[in-house]
Amino acid sequence: MSVPERMSELFALDELSDTEIENLYEFLSQDVVLGLDERRTLWLKNDIITLLRRSDPDPARHFSMLERIFLNREVSPGLRDYTLQHLSLIDSEEDIEHLLINAVSEKSHTIAGTALLALNREFRSGSLEEDPTGITEMARKVTIDPSYSLASRITALQVLSSFDREAATMIALELVEDRSSSPMMLVSSLGVLKDTGREFPVGAIEDMRVHPDSRVRRAAENVKEANSHNISVQ
């Protein structure tokens, strides 16, 4: 029986035995799954974590096992990211806030962005003690720091915009005026400018309307249509 077939049987069960739960945690720690490529392995492990979240009667154990995976830097970045997402959803007494704040310092891959999204969600649900100013400052630092991954910087800008629209608008405008910004960062920045009521220079938007990347051009057109009365001739 193949691994996917065996997993399908487990997914169909109403309840898992403790041995089955322990075996699944052990499976998550394995680097290679026979017969599956890296992407399918990652999808399967994500499904297993979801299954364990609803099947493990001990939330503290579930948190501890996933935390161990996340803290292991030898685990694939994709699995660590999925694990961090699941950790933030566990109804547990464990210190998820501290874990998420530390995760924001990880500059590679998508970890910092995932941590900021989770902090944002935790704060808005009322289950987080962190002051919104703290989350805002973390998001601002990630957004403007080019040593972070592009994916995390884009996410950070969106999180920043949800807490401090004025700060996000100023940074977005700087990024748009910086000709070296990547297309996706420009699209994200233009998305922030689209929803602002603040005046900004026409030159920056006009340059983006003739950008080589069609996604940037479309985003710039959207900004112009939504804010024609706010675009100055500076």
Side-chain angles (χ1 to χ4, degrees), residues 14-22 25 51-63 90-92:
D14 293 329
E15 185 175 327
L16 299 181
S17 69
D18 203 57
T19 298
E20 288 169 331
I21 289 173
E22 290 177 357
Y25 282 126
L51 174 64
L52 287 167
R53 193 171 78 234
R54 74 166 189 259
S55 301
D56 191 341
D58 184 355
R61 172 175 64 176
H62 187 52
F63 188 97
I90 299 174
D91 184 12
S92 170

Side-chain angles (χ1 to χ4, degrees), residues 63-148:
F63 188 97
S64 175
M65 295 301 291
L66 294 191
E67 183 181 34
R68 185 182 306 173
I69 294 172
F70 173 72
L71 294 177
N72 182 359
R73 298 299 182 91
E74 296 183 1
V75 170
S76 73
L79 181 57
R80 293 186 68 232
D81 190 288
Y82 278 159
T83 302
L84 186 61
Q85 293 178 47
H86 283 279
L87 280 164
S88 69
L89 297 173
I90 299 174
D91 184 12
S92 170
E93 298 299 321
E94 304 299 326
D95 187 8
I96 183 60
E97 180 178 352
H98 181 70
L99 185 68
L100 292 173
I101 290 173
N102 284 341
V104 174
S105 65
E106 293 203 26
K107 296 188 174 183
S108 60
H109 305 290
T110 55
I111 298 296
T114 295
L116 284 169
L117 285 174
L119 285 166
N120 186 10
R121 184 180 60 249
E122 291 285 299
F123 173 77
R124 297 186 188 285
S125 70
S127 58
L128 193 69
E129 295 181 3
E130 176 69 26
D131 185 278
T133 304
I135 302 175
T136 301
E137 182 59 17
M138 284 187 281
R140 188 192 68 80
K141 287 181 177 178
V142 174
T143 301
I144 65 176
D145 187 344
S147 65
Y148 274 90

Side-chain angles (χ1 to χ4, degrees), residues 145-158:
D145 187 344
S147 65
Y148 274 90
S149 71
L150 176 61
S152 284
R153 292 180 66 206
I154 289 172
T155 300
L157 178 60
Q158 301 309 312

Side-chain angles (χ1 to χ4, degrees), residues 196-230:
T196 187
R198 185 181 180 281
E199 186 176 277
F200 44 85
V202 65
I205 304 305
E206 289 303 314
D207 286 348
M208 294 302 101
R209 292 178 68 209
V210 294
H211 192 278
D213 193 297
S214 62
R215 296 167 297 180
V216 176
R217 294 197 300 271
R218 285 196 298 270
E221 288 292 346
N222 290 336
V223 173
K224 184 173 182 179
E225 291 176 9
N227 294 277
S228 58
H229 57 293
N230 290 323

